[in-house]
Amino acid sequence: SPDGRYLYLTREHFIRNLGQADNADIWLSRQRDGVWMPPVHLSYPVNGFAADYPAGSGLNREWVVTFRQSRDSASLLSFQKKGRRWVSAWSALPELGDSTQYWFDWHLNHDQQLLVFCASSGADDSADIYLARRRKNGTWTLPKRLPAPINSPYHEATAFIAADERALYFSSDRPGGQGGQDLWYSRAGNIPYGTWT
């Protein structure tokens, strides 16, 4: 969570997941006095019977956004906390072109309006970072591939944008790192994200 007190994580191949044990479910751990508590399974409807992954959360668990994927469909779902229950707030998914059918590493910013994700044409192909904005009517703009120097001929992944909406962190195996996937940082020179350091 933005305040560092809550950790949303995905567990696969776990017997207490909903549906089949190999499905991915979201669990939540709380930090108390500097110690992380055992994760707690988030109930339905945050977890469904497909694979669920966290994509963003509010400051004090007031909302959580998940990415849900099954064999036939994928969706981005927002849930709000109402007392002890989670209730559905909205569901939307950016349109993806044929070249971005394999996508992953979703991150929604603090106001649920900016989605950063990584995509490639196949599971073994190098990936690039894309960005989409949520319109006032709840639909998403067509995702745009971020320009160089963010994307390169190498593999970019695990992208997330800071609360100021200008700082971008991601991993890449591009030259100049220490080897394998390294963390990289860049700042937007302008919005709508035409130039980057």
Side-chain angles (χ1 to χ4, degrees):
S1 62
D3 61 3
R5 294 174 55 213
Y6 300 96
L7 175 67
Y8 294 85
L9 58 110
T10 295
R11 280 182 163 170
E12 293 181 346
H13 310 290
F14 194 69
I15 193 67
R16 290 175 51 204
N17 285 349
L18 291 177
Q20 298 176 345
D22 58 350
N23 277 349
D25 271 13
I26 300 171
W27 293 67
L28 174 65
S29 178
R30 167 185 274 178
Q31 191 180 63
R32 187 174 293 153
D33 298 326
V35 177
W36 289 100
M37 300 291 105
V40 175
H41 184 262
L42 293 183
S43 60
Y44 180 87
V46 175
N47 281 306
F49 294 98
D52 292 290
Y53 304 90
S57 70
L59 183 63
N60 193 23
R61 292 192 308 157
E62 71 271 18
W63 62 267
V64 63
V65 171
T66 69
F67 178 79
R68 181 169 295 163
Q69 187 170 27
S70 65
R71 287 182 180 170
D72 303 325
S73 66
S75 55
L76 205 60
L77 306 166
S78 176
F79 301 95
Q80 288 184 321
K81 190 80 167 174
K82 299 287 186 183
R84 299 178 65 93
R85 297 175 50 236
W86 291 97
V87 296
S88 178
W90 55 262
S91 172
L93 191 66
E95 294 180 27
L96 300 173
D98 292 339
S99 63
T100 58
Q101 290 189 353
Y102 181 77
W103 64 309
F104 54 95
D105 290 345
W106 320 270
H107 177 257
L108 198 69
N109 74 331
H110 69 286
D111 64 2
Q112 304 184 58
Q113 302 302 307
L114 186 66
L115 177 68
V116 179
F117 64 91
C118 303
S120 68
S121 56
D124 297 324
D125 297 333
S126 61
D128 287 328
I129 300 169
Y130 290 77
L131 185 143
R133 281 198 174 274
R134 193 161 157 250
R135 299 184 184 101
K136 290 182 180 179
N137 66 4
T139 63
W140 292 90
T141 62
L142 193 66
K144 290 187 178 179
R145 181 184 176 274
L146 293 182
I150 300 298
N151 285 309
S152 73
Y154 296 87
H155 185 75
E156 278 75 47
T158 58
F160 69 95
I161 199 154
D164 68 359
E165 297 188 5
R166 288 186 178 270
L168 180 75
Y169 297 85
F170 62 98
S171 66
S172 177
D173 59 357
R174 65 181 64 194
Q178 301 299 311
Q181 293 288 126
D182 281 4
L183 292 176
W184 294 78
Y185 163 82
S186 178
R187 286 194 67 82
N190 64 341
I191 292 179
Y193 305 106
T195 61
W196 294 84
T197 61

